[in-house]
Amino acid sequence: MSKYLLRRLLILIPVLAGISLILFTILAMAPGDPFEELATNPNVPAEVRMNLRAKFGIDDPIGVRYIRWFSSMMRGDWGFSFASRVNVDTLILQRLPTTLIVLGSAQLLAILVALPIGTMSAVRPYSIFDQIATTLAFIGFSLPTFFTGLLFILLFSVYLDWLPFIYRADISATGWRFYWEHLRQAIMPVAVLGLFQGAALTRFVRSAVLDVIRLDYINTARAKGLSEQVTIAKHAVRNALIPVVTLMALQIPTIFTGAVITEQIFRVPGIGSLLISAILANDTPVIMAITFVFSCLVVTLNLVADMLYGWLDPRISYR
């Protein structure tokens, strides 16, 4: 496995370099100018604007700009934000933990919802429980996250006044109150993302478990005297998780897209809201850095999914 992991890590280098080249070229060819505000400001002399453009290399060829950016990034210099007037890596490090906490909690919630409900639906197909779970799952992944987020705000914040609908990073409380306030304001964004992903996973878990429990080795396990709970949990669910892990790996870009929308709805100070602000301000260094970070996370999590296959199914060998 160590050789396989090393080979995959070496493959990641040209993959990420190619992704960065494509992203940089698309952003460089996109319309807009980060110094457009200075160009329309009569108080800024023309020579100052020209000096700034020369300093940041705005008018250089795309190839020269990409090589300069990539070499700087390899040295740990991710550029300078034109809008915030701070280093890009500082902005990302401030926002990334919040996004990872929200996304990680939402994905954990999705798994905790999908595994038991999907398994019970497969064990009792076409029962009342299965029909109710299937209906709720269809409704769950049919509704977009921005609509569900607005419903949550109206219900739990406006009508019931239970939860805050704006995520604040500057909570002045201390001690257990500090963690309680963070938990209260994270409930709705985590629930919106987690239930959306959980609804899709529930249908897939049901289908995967339903296929596995009909196989001969499940009947053999039952014939050997194993209880139904042990047979389902140890033999059926574990093998059914292999296609589920594949689906989760394929859904990673969708998860990040949903996080961008959800962070805007609940004003979560994460990477998603920073990306929207950078796009509106045409802050190219920030946009490039965030999209590249998302790409790195997607590629890394897909590698983690591939490594989980060997743990779920010992028959899979890495060469």
Side-chain angles (χ1 to χ4, degrees):
M1 180 181 292
S2 58
K3 293 182 179 180
Y4 173 81
L5 181 60
L6 179 61
R7 186 167 64 251
R8 286 292 304 270
L9 291 175
L10 293 177
I11 293 175
L12 289 183
I13 298 175
V15 169
L16 292 176
I19 292 174
S20 66
L21 177 60
I22 295 173
L23 291 175
F24 192 92
T25 304
I26 293 175
L27 290 176
M29 297 175 63
D33 190 341
F35 292 101
E36 183 177 0
E37 182 180 354
L38 295 178
T40 57
N41 190 345
N43 297 324
V44 179
E47 57 272 14
V48 174
R49 296 196 299 266
M50 294 177 61
N51 290 335
L52 286 174
R53 297 183 70 88
K55 177 181 178 181
F56 291 101
I58 301 298
D59 298 324
D60 293 341
I62 295 178
V64 175
R65 291 161 57 188
Y66 171 74
I67 294 174
R68 184 190 302 122
W69 175 84
F70 191 79
S71 59
S72 299
M73 185 190 65
M74 290 293 100
R75 296 194 304 268
D77 182 10
W78 284 36
F80 185 79
S81 172
F82 299 139
S84 303
R85 306 294 193 270
V86 296
N87 292 330
V88 174
D89 55 349
T90 302
L91 284 175
I92 292 180
L93 291 177
Q94 290 174 349
R95 304 279 192 119
L96 186 59
T98 302
T99 296
L100 293 180
I101 290 173
V102 172
L103 288 182
S105 302
Q107 197 62 24
L108 179 62
L109 176 62
I111 295 172
L112 293 178
V113 169
L115 277 182
I117 295 179
T119 303
M120 292 177 64
S121 296
V123 173
R124 302 179 179 87
Y126 309 112
S127 63
I128 296 178
F129 176 84
D130 181 33
Q131 294 177 14
I132 294 175
T134 300
T135 302
L136 293 178
F138 274 122
I139 296 174
F141 66 74
S142 298
L143 296 176
T145 53
F146 70 85
F147 181 76
T148 310
L150 293 177
L151 289 181
F152 272 53
I153 290 175
L154 288 176
L155 178 61
F156 296 107
S157 296
V158 177
Y159 293 140
L160 299 178
D161 195 21
W162 288 354
L163 301 171
F165 63 90
I166 295 180
Y167 196 107
R168 294 176 49 210
D170 55 343
I171 295 178
S172 58
T174 57
W176 67 269
R177 186 73 181 178
F178 174 82
Y179 297 102
W180 170 246
E181 291 297 330
H182 272 284
L183 177 63
R184 287 182 67 244
Q185 65 184 5
I187 289 176
M188 287 199 293
V190 170
V192 168
L193 284 174
L195 294 179
F196 179 77
Q197 297 296 329
L201 284 178
T202 298
R203 293 292 300 158
F204 206 82
V205 169
R206 179 189 182 276
S207 177
V209 175
L210 200 58
D211 290 338
V212 170
I213 61 177
R214 296 172 178 173
L215 299 178
D216 293 337
Y217 75 91
I218 297 296
N219 295 327
T220 303
R222 290 168 176 160
K224 290 169 61 177
L226 293 178
S227 64
E228 187 68 13
Q229 291 81 4
V230 174
T231 302
I232 297 298
K234 186 176 180 180
H235 296 283
V237 174
R238 182 167 181 174
N239 287 288
L241 283 179
I242 295 177
V244 175
V245 170
T246 303
L247 176 67
M248 292 175 60
L250 295 175
Q251 283 187 335
I252 291 173
T254 307
I255 296 173
F256 286 119
T257 304
V260 171
I261 299 174
T262 305
E263 287 183 5
Q264 281 295 106
I265 296 173
F266 295 102
R267 297 296 186 268
V268 178
I271 294 294
S273 58
L274 178 62
L275 177 61
I276 297 298
S277 302
I279 292 174
L280 294 176
N282 201 16
D283 198 351
T284 306
V286 177
I287 300 173
M288 183 63 204
I290 293 176
T291 51
F292 185 70
V293 167
F294 278 164
S295 301
C296 293
L297 291 175
V298 169
V299 173
T300 303
L301 292 176
N302 274 275
L303 174 59
V304 173
D306 290 342
M307 301 304 295
L308 285 176
Y309 293 152
W311 176 73
L312 292 172
D313 190 349
R315 296 173 298 177
I316 299 177
S317 60
Y318 298 98
R319 299 177 180 175

